[in-house]
Amino acid sequence: MTFTGSRLIATSAALALAAAIGATGASAETAPSAIKIGTLYAGSGEFAVSSQAQYDGLKFWAKKVNKDGGVFVKAYNKKIPVKIVAYDDQSSTSTATTLYNQLITQDHVDLLVADFGSVLTSVAVPLAKEHNQLLVDVTGSSAGFFSSDNKYLVDLSIPSSGVWPVPLAKYLIKEGVTKVAIVYGSNDFDSSQADTLKTELKKAGITPVYDHAVPTNETNYTVLLHAAAARKPQAMVELGYMSNDVAFLKSLKSSGLHFPMVFTIFPGQFKTLMEKNAGKNALAYTYSYPAPPMIKYDKVSLGLNTDQFIKAWEADGSKSAPNFVNAAGYSTGILLSKALASAPDMKQLSIRSALEGLSGNTSTLVGPFALSDTGAQMGERLPVAQFQPQKDGSLKTVVVYPDKMATGKAIYPSPQG
């Protein structure tokens, strides 16, 4: 059969129209009913409280976007609901390994979000890389995770732990504290902080008078405290997870020992919970890294600001005030929303590229968002604060460093309790 003249033109036009209609139909057909976000949480074990707080923050974001019809996905040019696929790893790295693998190979999730902290994130890093699945890191901040040969990891909500102690070190140096004792957990999260702290102090000619690593599951610090006290430090720094901080502060309170300055990590993230578990008296005059929403960033370009987040969180029916890990879970979600709205397709590295496009020009309630070349979050810097007792029995969070963020002066040395 042959075609000539106007008939050929008409047929060509018809074929082109049919192709266009077919392409549009195919695009609509291939749009999924939901964007599947796979994650883990710890329903029990040593990371349960922090992990469930992060999970709650992510669920809060998902509930909020789904109420508005879902997230807008540029690849499909439409809003699509979010579905969270989550499993309980029970704070076990071996269980987490199995479940991360299930999310990738069986559930075929569109986005993979790590569980809380460096320990439970650590097993996901090589697994995600092996399967070319982008791992969205929320609070696993170990500096050792990030390397130039792994493009399948991006840290969205917390600075690399390797930079956390820089303000602390600068504060100690500024205040003329030269005798420092350090006790830290023998895991990536805590040891990387200890390394940075010692490196920064060394620049000022300061070598710790006491330097000791403990198992991550350490529960009794009494002997270590007495050993450190014998060196007469001006500052006692304990770097651990929340369970370590509680055990450390309880051991310190019961020991009868006194240090001019005491620093721990997690009261700055879970102040209310730490007051309940360790006691207000144990927290009095201690120092920590205060994190949002305990502190507020004035400039928020994406998502709810601190006051809006607190109001929305309480309106959602939560029985407790939001903490930093709640905010980190939410902030991760809004960054993913923005990336999906600009990524040309759903390929994993396209989504990472979209996130990189937000770097340096975006700020959420947890602070400035800026990624290094290796995917580490470098925009935030956690200040130093002291918990100062008030007449009404409360503990006021007073930011003491850096000066531009300070809300008051430190009480140093701390009074004998």
Side-chain angles (χ1 to χ4, degrees):
M1 185 181 292
T2 59
F3 297 96
T4 59
S6 60
R7 188 179 179 188
L8 177 59
I9 294 172
T11 303
S12 298
L15 289 172
L17 179 60
I21 294 172
T24 303
S27 178
E29 290 173 4
T30 55
S33 59
I35 298 297
K36 291 195 293 184
I37 297 182
T39 194
L40 304 183
Y41 65 92
S44 59
E46 60 184 310
F47 302 115
V49 172
S50 300
S51 173
Q52 290 179 56
Q54 177 178 301
Y55 182 41
D56 286 343
L58 189 67
K59 289 190 294 182
F60 172 79
W61 160 76
K63 182 178 179 180
K64 188 173 178 62
V65 296
N66 283 342
K67 188 176 181 180
D68 192 36
V71 291
F72 179 78
V73 184
K74 183 178 181 180
Y76 303 114
N77 195 35
K78 62 182 294 187
K79 281 188 174 182
I80 301 176
V82 167
K83 178 182 179 182
I84 296 181
V85 182
Y87 300 112
D88 181 1
D89 59 32
Q90 302 172 4
S91 294
S92 164
T93 52
S94 59
T95 301
T97 301
T98 300
L99 294 176
Y100 281 127
N101 187 66
Q102 181 174 330
L103 288 168
I104 297 169
T105 63
Q106 296 180 40
D107 295 306
H108 302 290
V109 296
D110 299 294
L111 295 165
L112 180 65
V113 178
D115 197 351
F116 167 83
S118 294
V119 173
L120 295 176
T121 299
S122 64
V123 293
V125 175
L127 193 62
K129 181 182 178 183
E130 176 187 348
H131 289 280
N132 297 330
Q133 173 85 44
L134 182 65
L135 177 65
V136 177
D137 181 357
V138 185
T139 50
S141 57
S142 172
F145 290 166
F146 305 94
S147 60
S148 58
D149 66 342
N150 184 7
K151 294 296 183 183
Y152 291 92
L153 175 65
V154 63
D155 176 7
L156 298 193
S157 297
I158 198 168
S160 169
S161 60
V163 303
W164 284 32
V166 174
L168 173 60
K170 290 183 176 179
Y171 176 70
L172 293 171
I173 294 167
K174 175 177 176 287
E175 295 300 311
V177 175
T178 58
K179 299 178 68 177
V180 181
I182 306 174
V183 174
Y184 58 95
S186 54
N187 56 71
D188 289 341
F189 172 68
D190 296 315
S191 61
S192 64
Q193 292 195 54
D195 289 344
T196 296
L197 180 58
K198 287 182 282 188
T199 297
E200 293 297 315
L201 291 176
K202 187 177 180 180
K203 293 177 183 178
I206 300 172
T207 300
V209 296
Y210 187 78
D211 178 1
H212 194 84
V214 300
T216 301
N217 60 356
E218 183 64 62
T219 59
N220 192 324
Y221 289 81
T222 303
V223 174
L224 296 176
L225 283 165
H226 280 279
R231 306 296 177 90
K232 301 187 183 304
Q234 298 166 290
M236 178 74 236
V237 177
E238 184 268 325
L239 304 171
Y241 281 101
M242 184 161 63
S243 59
N244 302 114
D245 291 1
V246 171
F248 173 83
L249 290 169
K250 282 186 172 181
S251 295
L252 177 58
K253 192 66 180 176
S254 63
S255 71
L257 297 171
H258 177 262
F259 298 96
M261 174 181 177
V262 172
F263 179 95
T264 57
I265 295 175
F266 276 81
Q269 298 182 33
F270 293 92
K271 181 185 176 186
T272 302
L273 195 59
M274 288 293 296
E275 286 179 349
K276 179 181 178 181
N277 290 336
K280 286 186 179 180
N281 290 338
L283 274 182
Y285 301 107
T286 63
Y287 298 72
S288 190
Y289 305 120
M294 185 181 295
I295 58 172
K296 300 177 184 179
Y297 286 99
D298 294 331
K299 297 179 180 180
V300 174
S301 63
L302 185 64
L304 302 174
N305 63 29
T306 301
D307 291 337
Q308 292 168 337
F309 176 71
I310 293 172
K311 184 177 180 179
W313 186 267
E314 292 173 346
D316 195 49
S318 177
K319 296 180 181 179
S320 58
N323 54 50
F324 170 71
V325 186
N326 296 143
Y330 164 75
S331 178
T332 293
I334 60 174
L335 286 164
L336 289 176
S337 291
K338 191 69 172 178
L340 290 172
S342 60
D345 53 55
M346 290 297 291
K347 294 178 181 177
Q348 297 295 292
L349 293 186
S350 295
I351 295 172
R352 175 180 166 134
S353 180
L355 288 166
E356 290 173 337
L358 300 174
S359 176
N361 53 36
T362 304
S363 182
T364 73
L365 81 162
V366 300
F369 176 64
L371 295 175
S372 70
D373 291 341
T374 59
Q377 164 67 278
M378 304 299 287
E380 304 165 27
R381 287 291 186 274
L382 298 173
V384 179
Q386 184 183 42
F387 301 114
Q388 298 179 358
Q390 304 297 295
K391 291 182 179 179
D392 63 1
S394 65
L395 294 177
K396 182 180 180 181
T397 303
V398 179
V399 178
V400 298
Y401 187 84
D403 293 341
K404 65 181 180 180
M405 296 181 69
T407 59
K409 299 289 185 181
I411 299 173
Y412 179 89
S414 64
Q416 183 81 39

